[in-house]
Amino acid sequence: MPPLPADEARRRLAAARIGHLATVRADGRPHLVPLVFAMDGDVIYALADPKPKRGIDLLRHRNIAANPAVSLLVDGYEESWERIWWVRADGTARIVDARSERETAIALLRAKYPQYATWTTPFGAAMVMDVERVTSWTM
């Protein structure tokens, strides 16, 4: 089960439209959520956006405040299993409210997702993840 070449793994990670973010809850159990994100170099950005949910005070943000170790997984599945793959970024995250990193997150996400380009409702805090390791697999 070979890994993807490092540059291809990073390209697929950055291009993915959705990922799954794993954080650790206060009770030590994993917490996994789907996530839209943008990547710039070795940094991944995501926002608490005002889509319908319980608000912008997110459990994943509270988890990161208590334990900043996170993983983001993206994958490609096809019925022809010769083309399946996954890429995982492991790193350390922080939550930012009113710094330039939050503005960077907004700009990058607006550039990647047309849905954000015209969004006028205020965004919440940003998650900023420093990628420390990228691992991958393919057939």
Side-chain angles (χ1 to χ4, degrees), residues 38-61:
M39 187 171 181
D40 185 25
D42 287 331
V43 182
I44 292 173
Y45 298 90
L47 286 167
D49 59 42
K51 289 192 299 275
K53 50 187 137 192
R54 294 184 183 160
I56 57 176
D57 177 29
L58 304 177
L59 177 58
R60 71 188 103 161
H61 288 185

Side-chain angles (χ1 to χ4, degrees), residues 4-60:
L4 290 161
D7 60 337
E8 179 62 13
R10 287 183 173 275
R11 186 196 69 72
R12 291 184 189 194
L13 176 61
R17 303 302 290 167
I18 189 167
H20 294 85
L21 180 72
T23 60
V24 181
R25 293 167 37 129
D27 63 5
R29 297 180 57 89
H31 178 71
L32 187 65
V33 294
L35 184 78
V36 295
F37 66 95
M39 187 171 181
D40 185 25
D42 287 331
V43 182
I44 292 173
Y45 298 90
L47 286 167
D49 59 42
K51 289 192 299 275
K53 50 187 137 192
R54 294 184 183 160
I56 57 176
D57 177 29
L58 304 177
L59 177 58
R60 71 188 103 161

Side-chain angles (χ1 to χ4, degrees), residues 5 8 10 13-14 19 22 32 42 44 54 61 72 79-80 90 93 101-102 119 121 124 126 135:
E8 179 62 13
R10 287 183 173 275
L13 176 61
L32 187 65
D42 287 331
I44 292 173
R54 294 184 183 160
H61 288 185
L72 180 70
E79 292 301 323
S80 172
D90 299 315
E101 288 176 305
R102 182 175 170 275
W119 207 294
T121 307
T135 54

